Amino acid sequence: MLFFTQCFGAVLDLIHLRFQHYKAKRVFSAAGQLVCVVNPTHSLKYAPTLCAAAQTSTEQGILPPCHHHEAVHDPQLVPCMCPLFSCPWEGHLEVVVSHLRQTHHINILQGAEIVFLATDMHLPAPTDWIIMHSCLGHQFLLVLRKQEKYEGHPQFFAMMMLIGTPTQADNFTYRLELNRNQRRLKWEATPRSVLECVDSVISDGDCLVLNTSLAQLFSDNGSLAIGIAITTSKVHNSEAEM
Amino acid sequence: MLFFTQCFGAVLDLIHLRFQHYKAKRVFSAAGQLVCVVNPTHSLKYAPTLCAAAQTSTEQGILPPCHHHEAVHDPQLVPCMCPLFSCPWEGHLEVVVSHLRQTHHINILQGAEIVFLATDMHLPAPTDWIIMHSCLGHQFLLVLRKQEKYEGHPQFFAMMMLIGTPTQADNFTYRLELNRNQRRLKWEATPRSVLECVDSVISDGDCLVLNTSLAQLFSDNGSLAIGIAITTSKVHNSEAEM
């Protein structure tokens, strides 16, 4: 009996996913755009004992300082990006992708334009939604983080990072787009390198920032669809275009 | 001597304004775009005794509730929009423009695309930057407000409102655009009517929201240039376009 109940639950989940997928496709109407349903990664889930101090400060809504520049002597060594402040792993750029896939089961998607559908936006901070994106011969990491920079005031921060050096990152431009209820919000920027720190990107304000009411405005039934596009930007003419 | 010092100060101010104007023009390169330098209106400046209670709550970083639906019996009567929570004036839609011009010396600009250059972004909250914009046969109000919804955490809220009814407002789409340092942020939405309340627009999240780090990223020497465009939107195809 329990077996049948579980099967029925799984079928319902599948129908629900399928429905979300369909809705996201409808909103982001472009033919051939890949929609990826991304489930949240609550940041404390993987928290190891090594990060006890970091975990405590996270629980207080304050992120631990980025330990990249302090503990890592080899500048090509990066701390694990998933979820950044609770995984003690460090490694060279070349093995970041395999670590993310194998240890954290992060999906990797192909294509220049995809739709990132983050589910369960109501979950308490800190929470991360992460996917990898393979495009233009490089791997990118899309991080959506719900975080309380100020207690009782959760915000969402979305950014694209290149799994590569800052110099390589300068060759690209990414666009994040929200579109719902005749409202549209677009963020265009140069991706940051994973050698930099998510925390510093957030404190620099160099990402798409949403407060909860703005996130609700663009959410549909607790899910937020973010259209993503990456292009090369050898000649930076974004200012001249305007 | 004092006279000459003052004259010299005025000339310096003019040169500074001219320089800001030039910089904004350079960023928003489109030929013929009008750049308007908008000085801040600290919200307590005009605070009358009638609004003592409202003023107290404003000082605590909490806005008074919108009194439009409580005190105003005629739905066509609007409270003064400049600065909304400290002017006791109420009047019909038809006289809002003349009130704003005569009492508060708010500029009115012509043209479908203009650049709003808000100065002195560092001033403490609550502060408003306001202009009127005459376009497509209607008058719009652009409000940029610095406000502390959460103590110690000022945010900027930018919105376009139609000096007209909500039904008239539905016929338009406006776009606000920030562009600097190879970063670009665009907000597109249907304007709200001035018969609604700025506070409710802010609490709905139905506006461009910037936290201080994001505002700093787009500011140049304490001034924030916002490109504004208004179009008619009889057929709402923004979602299909994407």
Side-chain angles (χ1 to χ4, degrees):
Chain A
M1 182 62 197
L2 185 67
F3 174 74
F4 284 111
T5 314
Q6 283 191 343
C7 278
F8 186 64
V11 169
L12 275 185
D13 282 355
L14 274 173
I15 292 169
H16 180 67
L17 273 178
R18 182 82 211 158
F19 183 62
Q20 281 188 321
H21 184 277
Y22 169 74
K23 278 196 295 186
K25 265 220 150 143
R26 198 162 45 81
V27 172
F28 292 85
S29 64
Q33 242 181 9
L34 183 68
V35 176
C36 174
V37 177
V38 185
N39 294 310
T41 304
H42 198 271
S43 298
L44 301 182
K45 202 163 73 178
Y46 300 110
T49 45
L50 275 173
C51 286
Q55 193 180 343
T56 311
S57 58
T58 305
E59 281 166 354
Q60 292 165 348
I62 305 150
L63 284 177
C66 174
H67 60 114
H68 173 51
H69 297 294
E70 295 159 25
V72 182
H73 301 297
D74 182 342
Q76 294 299 309
L77 273 184
V78 286
C80 172
M81 302 303 288
C82 165
L84 271 153
F85 47 94
S86 57
C87 175
W89 184 87
E90 281 172 1
H92 280 270
L93 266 179
E94 294 73 25
V95 286
V96 169
V97 173
S98 63
H99 168 75
L100 289 171
R101 293 195 77 164
Q102 285 158 22
T103 311
H104 301 295
H105 312 290
I106 302 293
N107 278 329
I108 188 157
L109 299 165
Q110 310 283 334
E113 295 201 13
I114 60 170
V115 177
F116 177 102
L117 185 69
T119 63
D120 302 312
M121 296 287 285
H122 63 277
L123 284 181
T127 301
D128 285 320
W129 290 257
I130 298 177
I131 51 162
M132 280 186 290
H133 184 182
S134 177
C135 169
L136 302 167
H138 284 79
Q139 268 82 39
F140 298 85
L141 200 63
L142 185 92
V143 181
L144 172 67
R145 174 170 291 176
K146 185 174 185 176
Q147 183 183 318
E148 285 191 16
K149 271 178 91 176
Y150 300 88
E151 210 182 313
H153 174 43
Q155 289 178 290
F156 293 88
F157 304 89
M159 72 202 72
M160 199 65 138
M161 303 185 97
L162 177 75
I163 302 177
T165 64
T167 316
Q168 288 174 315
D170 281 344
N171 295 323
F172 299 96
T173 297
Y174 73 99
R175 192 185 70 211
L176 304 180
E177 184 162 339
L178 306 175
N179 191 355
R180 196 167 173 262
N181 288 331
Q182 290 153 11
R183 269 70 187 145
R184 194 187 291 200
L185 187 63
K186 271 190 207 180
W187 165 257
E188 260 179 51
T190 304
R192 301 279 286 254
S193 157
V194 290
L195 292 171
E196 300 174 79
C197 185
V198 169
D199 296 346
S200 69
V201 178
I202 290 177
S203 62
D204 290 352
D206 193 9
C207 53
L208 177 64
V209 185
L210 305 173
N211 62 15
T212 37
S213 44
L214 207 52
Q216 271 169 5
L217 191 80
F218 284 108
S219 294
D220 185 12
N221 205 15
S223 295
L224 183 74
I226 307 177
I228 306 168
I230 303 179
T231 50
T232 49
S233 57
K234 285 192 180 157
V235 180
H236 259 300
N237 55 354
S238 61
E239 290 190 354
E241 270 171 26
M242 227 180 129
Chain B
M1 182 63 196
L2 186 67
F3 174 74
F4 285 110
T5 314
Q6 283 190 344
C7 278
F8 186 64
V11 168
L12 275 185
D13 282 354
L14 274 173
I15 291 170
H16 180 67
L17 273 179
R18 183 81 211 158
F19 183 61
Q20 281 188 322
H21 184 279
Y22 169 75
K23 278 196 296 186
K25 266 220 150 141
R26 196 161 47 82
V27 172
F28 293 86
S29 64
Q33 243 181 8
L34 183 68
V35 176
C36 175
V37 177
V38 186
N39 293 311
T41 305
H42 198 270
S43 299
L44 302 181
K45 201 163 75 177
Y46 300 110
T49 46
L50 275 173
C51 286
Q55 194 180 342
T56 310
S57 58
T58 305
E59 282 165 353
Q60 292 165 347
I62 305 149
L63 284 176
C66 175
H67 60 115
H68 173 50
H69 297 293
E70 295 160 23
V72 182
H73 302 295
D74 182 341
Q76 294 298 309
L77 273 184
V78 286
C80 172
M81 302 303 288
C82 167
L84 270 154
F85 47 94
S86 57
C87 176
W89 183 89
E90 280 172 3
H92 280 268
L93 266 179
E94 294 73 24
V95 286
V96 169
V97 174
S98 62
H99 168 75
L100 289 171
R101 292 195 77 163
Q102 284 158 22
T103 311
H104 300 295
H105 313 289
I106 302 294
N107 277 329
I108 188 158
L109 299 166
Q110 310 282 333
E113 296 201 14
I114 60 170
V115 177
F116 176 101
L117 186 69
T119 63
D120 303 311
M121 296 286 286
H122 62 278
L123 285 181
T127 301
D128 285 320
W129 291 258
I130 298 177
I131 51 161
M132 280 186 289
H133 184 183
S134 178
C135 170
L136 302 167
H138 284 80
Q139 269 81 39
F140 297 84
L141 199 63
L142 185 92
V143 181
L144 171 68
R145 174 169 291 176
K146 185 175 186 176
Q147 183 183 318
E148 284 191 16
K149 271 178 90 176
Y150 299 89
E151 210 180 314
H153 174 41
Q155 289 177 291
F156 294 88
F157 303 90
M159 73 201 72
M160 200 65 139
M161 303 184 96
L162 177 75
I163 302 177
T165 64
T167 316
Q168 287 174 316
D170 280 343
N171 296 323
F172 298 95
T173 297
Y174 73 99
R175 192 185 70 211
L176 304 181
E177 184 163 338
L178 307 176
N179 192 355
R180 196 167 174 262
N181 288 333
Q182 289 152 11
R183 268 70 188 146
R184 195 188 291 200
L185 186 63
K186 273 190 205 179
W187 165 257
E188 260 179 51
T190 304
R192 300 280 286 254
S193 156
V194 290
L195 292 171
E196 300 174 79
C197 184
V198 170
D199 296 346
S200 68
V201 178
I202 290 176
S203 61
D204 290 353
D206 194 8
C207 55
L208 177 63
V209 185
L210 304 173
N211 62 16
T212 35
S213 45
L214 207 51
Q216 271 169 6
L217 191 79
F218 285 108
S219 293
D220 185 13
N221 206 14
S223 295
L224 183 73
I226 307 177
I228 306 168
I230 303 179
T231 51
T232 50
S233 57
K234 284 193 179 154
V235 180
H236 258 300
N237 55 356
S238 62
E239 290 190 353
E241 269 171 27
M242 222 178 133

